[in-house]
Amino acid sequence: MTALSLPPRHRGARAALVLGALGVVFGDIGTSPLYTMKECLIRLPAGDSGDNILGVLSLMFWSLVIVVCVKYLLCVMRADNQGEGGIFALLGLLQAGRDSDRRSGTGAMTLLILVGAALLYGDGIITPAISVLGAAEGLTAVDPGAQRFVPWLAAAVLAVLFWFQHHGTHRIGGIFGPLMITWFATLALLGGWQVAQHPEVAAALNPLRGWLLLCRHPREISALLGAVVLVVTGAEALYADMGHFGRGPIALAWYGGAFPGLVLNYFGQGAWLLAHPGASENPFFALAPPGLGRALLTALSILAAIVASQALISGSYSLTRQAIQLGYFPRLKVSHTNPDQPGQIYLPLVNTVLGLGCILTVALFGSTDRLAAAYGIAVTGTMAITTIAYFCVTRRLRWPLALTLPVCAIFLFVDLAFLGANARKISEGGWFPLAIGAVVFAIMHTWNTGRREIFHRLYQQRVTDTELFGIIHSPHLKRVPGVAVFMVSSPKGPPIALLHHVKANRCLHRTVVLLSILTDDLPAVPPEERLLTFELGDGLWRVVGRYGYMESPDVGALLGEARRRHVPVEASRAVYFFNREMIITGGSAPMWEWQKRLYAFLSRNARSAKDYYQITPTQIVELGLPIHL
């Protein structure tokens, strides 16, 4: 069924998805024209400028085709986890169907995916900084003396943007799509006007132009590819945001708006440079008429940069929540800013760290010329890891090896070429996103390792249900009225908090619920599969709630559903028992000492389980649990 044959209501919903995808998914890649052509040309020696321009345009065009059109839209986005995309979706596909003990380990592929996720945080800090800086540099096209004000303007814009996050993206989400339509239309009009005047620039569509450029300048290949990769930064967002908009609307938004707008603008910049050989100004802003035209383009660029930044900021929130649910990140406060859209969330701590990181980046680098040296290595690293993980997923799904192997080999060759070209940037600023990624990776790996070690220590000598009933029937134990809910990590055996409570108080409530919250490898668990209840006898019940890695648990709602299934529990009147872990380092746990200290720090500062599960504080009893790592 074609889009025109759909009922009007469905066509309207699809149009809204296409508009939303244009506003959110392509914000990052859509602002690349602000600086990419300028960065590419300054990497080449003077002379043969016409051939250089056509060669650069050819490399940029075919990079867009291979990476965006073929790799992501045609191939990678077909490997979805119940419609969800992103690097953790690949992890879920790789782990699906494995037993829990094996899933809890950190194999080589899991570690590689964690590296890719950590690099995305580096991208999440640098992208807003370089996008807003690139837009603010439009001031120099209006007044060359305004260069000293550019970092201050960029920092001010970023500060306001991050301050506004607590209001929720739905407040400004309504203007994202229309604004990006205006942006891509402006890109197309400015570039198309120049292409019409200099149609010879179309020769850059020939891939041989790019190949000949690389052959003529073998010493500059690394520097040149390190700049060309800026044209595809943001491509990972296509896959990461697939669950919000769907593969079809994203493809329509790309081919119907973003792709033609970008190509026309890049080729328009090339046409302008052909007509103005030796020009030193930024060709993007030079496309607009001097004076008011460039001032308006600067203002529009800043708004587009805000949209691009918002996409990365929201993506960082979602990535963090997924990591928390999968057990790779400490619990943090998650606020839902729009009751109608569960995917719109706000994490105060992540927002603060990102905001300070972006402003620090602007202060540290000060211009897109310097920041471009740091940009790209995190993006290309994640792209290469995505290719490797995608190939592993195709093998797990038993797709034809004769097809997937050569295709993935080509993708990996391109990714590694870009990654190798960016490796030279490490000393020039590339260390910055790598340092960010290293810190995030250390946190994720340490937290996951520590949680697995504690789980092993607490449950290696489980009390069986038979032994539990022996404790309950002890003549020294008194059953008192009321309902007690004990949180337990494993759906087998009793929680440690229950045993400590019985030992210390010699009493137990007449109704006891052993509640386990499990996270599946799926983005969302169907409502009919959310809850499992078991009556153990003597007033004991076991309740298991299952959530996907894109969902946040709600204990109140879960126990409300359990009550409807005849479990005698009322969430508002129950008493909830939690362990309060107290980590003591210096033990025999197979972890480095710095990891033990880091885990102890993270455990002390993580949001407590009672807050994370949305339980009223007056209903909670915490029992101290010293653990020697």
Side-chain angles (χ1 to χ4, degrees):
M1 180 179 290
T2 64
L4 292 177
S5 64
L6 290 171
R9 178 171 58 85
H10 291 169
R11 288 203 301 268
R14 190 173 182 82
L17 288 173
V18 172
L19 183 64
L22 194 65
V24 175
V25 177
F26 299 109
D28 185 5
I29 199 170
T31 54
S32 296
L34 289 169
Y35 45 79
T36 302
M37 177 64 80
K38 178 188 68 171
E39 294 301 324
C40 289
L41 292 179
I42 63 177
R43 300 296 191 273
L44 294 172
D48 298 327
S49 59
D51 289 335
N52 287 351
I53 292 167
L54 294 177
V56 166
L57 281 176
S58 180
L59 291 174
M60 294 165 68
F61 174 79
W62 287 103
S63 294
L64 283 171
V65 170
I66 294 173
V67 174
V68 181
C69 299
V70 180
K71 176 183 174 180
Y72 281 97
L73 284 176
L74 186 61
C75 297
V76 174
M77 291 181 69
R78 296 183 184 276
D80 64 287
N81 192 344
Q82 289 192 345
E84 292 289 344
I87 199 161
F88 278 128
L90 292 175
L91 179 60
L93 288 171
L94 289 173
Q95 293 183 340
R98 298 184 181 182
D99 60 85
S100 58
D101 291 336
R102 186 179 179 183
R103 272 205 341 251
S104 64
T106 49
M109 197 65 242
T110 301
L111 288 175
L112 192 61
I113 289 177
L114 290 182
V115 170
L119 290 176
L120 285 176
Y121 284 94
D123 188 26
I125 287 179
I126 291 184
T127 294
I130 195 172
S131 297
V132 175
L133 260 179
E137 285 176 349
L139 287 176
T140 61
V142 180
D143 179 9
Q147 176 61 45
R148 65 182 183 277
F149 299 112
V150 168
W152 292 98
L153 175 60
V157 170
L158 289 169
V160 172
L161 174 62
F162 281 97
W163 172 84
F164 197 81
Q165 292 302 310
H166 70 280
H167 291 292
T169 56
H170 66 286
R171 291 286 186 90
I172 52 178
I175 66 171
F176 277 14
L179 175 60
M180 293 310 291
I181 286 180
T182 304
W183 172 251
F184 284 116
T186 302
L187 293 183
L189 290 173
L190 292 175
W193 172 253
Q194 295 293 329
V195 171
Q197 296 185 48
H198 304 281
E200 65 271 17
V201 76
L205 293 173
N206 184 351
L208 289 178
R209 289 282 188 173
W211 174 257
L212 292 175
L213 175 67
L214 298 178
C215 293
R216 286 198 308 270
H217 301 285
R219 294 183 179 180
E220 285 78 25
I221 287 179
S222 178
L224 180 58
L225 290 181
V228 169
V229 75
L230 298 176
V231 80
V232 295
T233 55
E236 190 75 20
L238 277 72
Y239 185 44
D241 289 325
M242 183 169 61
H244 296 286
F245 303 101
R247 180 174 174 271
I250 289 176
L252 285 175
W254 172 251
Y255 289 114
F259 187 47
L262 290 171
V263 171
L264 281 173
N265 192 263
Y266 284 128
F267 275 65
Q269 292 184 46
W272 186 89
L273 289 167
L274 288 176
H276 301 80
S280 59
E281 57 187 308
N282 188 330
F284 173 78
F285 291 103
L287 297 180
L292 180 61
R294 294 187 182 179
L296 292 175
L297 182 59
T298 299
L300 180 60
S301 300
I302 291 176
L303 292 176
I306 290 174
V307 174
S309 303
Q310 182 62 54
L312 267 294
I313 294 168
S314 301
S316 298
Y317 296 159
S318 298
L319 186 68
T320 303
R321 182 173 70 169
Q322 293 174 31
I324 292 171
Q325 290 292 82
L326 290 171
Y328 293 106
F329 218 83
R331 291 182 298 271
L332 301 176
K333 182 179 180 181
V334 179
S335 300
H336 293 264
T337 58
N338 187 352
D340 298 325
Q341 296 290 334
Q344 292 187 9
I345 57 176
Y346 167 68
L347 283 76
L349 181 61
V350 175
N351 184 71
T352 301
V353 172
L354 287 179
L356 293 176
C358 288
I359 294 174
L360 175 64
T361 301
V362 169
L364 186 63
F365 292 91
S367 69
T368 54
D369 291 340
R370 297 179 61 193
L371 190 51
Y375 200 34
I377 193 165
V379 177
T380 53
T382 303
M383 288 168 53
I385 291 171
T386 296
T387 298
I388 296 171
Y390 169 71
F391 176 73
C392 293
V393 169
T394 63
R395 300 308 307 134
R396 185 166 180 78
L397 297 178
R398 302 187 183 278
W399 292 0
L401 182 62
L403 176 63
T404 58
L405 181 59
V407 169
C408 290
I410 294 173
F411 293 157
L412 190 60
F413 174 80
V414 174
D415 294 336
L416 293 180
F418 281 137
L419 180 60
N422 279 275
R424 57 177 290 278
K425 296 182 178 182
I426 293 178
S427 61
E428 302 173 9
W431 58 268
F432 188 67
L434 292 181
I436 296 171
V439 171
V440 176
F441 175 79
I443 291 174
M444 290 194 294
H445 184 254
T446 298
W447 182 259
N448 182 255
T449 303
R451 295 308 302 167
R452 286 190 291 110
E453 180 63 24
I454 288 177
F455 183 87
H456 173 71
R457 287 171 178 261
L458 293 182
Y459 293 99
Q460 63 181 345
Q461 294 180 342
R462 288 180 179 150
V463 177
T464 65
D465 288 341
T466 301
E467 293 171 326
L468 175 61
F469 283 119
I471 296 173
I472 291 176
H473 293 147
S474 169
H476 303 292
L477 181 67
K478 182 176 178 60
R479 303 295 291 270
V480 298
V483 178
V485 178
F486 289 88
M487 304 299 296
V488 53
S489 300
S490 172
K492 299 177 181 179
I496 302 300
L498 185 150
L499 301 178
H500 285 189
H501 170 65
V502 168
K503 181 179 179 180
N505 300 310
R506 307 291 182 180
C507 67
L508 189 64
H509 293 72
R510 287 177 182 164
T511 300
V512 176
V513 176
L514 310 181
L515 178 60
S516 299
I517 304 293
L518 305 181
T519 300
D520 282 12
D521 296 318
L522 305 174
V525 173
E528 63 274 10
E529 300 177 12
R530 170 87 63 209
L531 183 67
L532 297 174
T533 61
F534 308 91
E535 183 176 6
L536 303 179
D538 291 324
L540 264 67
W541 295 78
R542 187 177 296 280
V543 175
V544 179
R546 298 172 56 228
Y547 288 86
Y549 59 79
M550 294 288 290
E551 300 177 297
S552 297
D554 186 338
V555 168
L558 194 68
L559 292 182
E561 177 61 28
R563 182 177 177 83
R564 286 188 287 272
R565 298 192 185 185
H566 309 295
V567 178
V569 58
E570 188 172 347
S572 61
R573 295 185 178 182
V575 179
Y576 297 84
F577 289 84
F578 287 87
N579 289 320
R580 184 65 176 178
E581 297 172 359
M582 295 177 290
I583 306 301
I584 304 171
T585 61
S588 59
M591 299 170 63
W592 297 101
E593 190 61 29
W594 67 266
Q595 282 187 305
K596 297 177 184 179
R597 295 182 181 275
L598 177 58
Y599 181 81
F601 173 80
L602 295 174
S603 180
R604 287 195 304 267
N605 291 277
R607 194 183 187 201
S608 63
K610 63 181 187 298
D611 296 329
Y612 185 72
Y613 291 134
Q614 306 177 50
I615 301 172
T616 305
T618 55
Q619 297 177 253
I620 292 169
V621 175
E622 285 190 315
L623 300 175
L625 182 63
I627 300 177
H628 201 191
L629 288 182

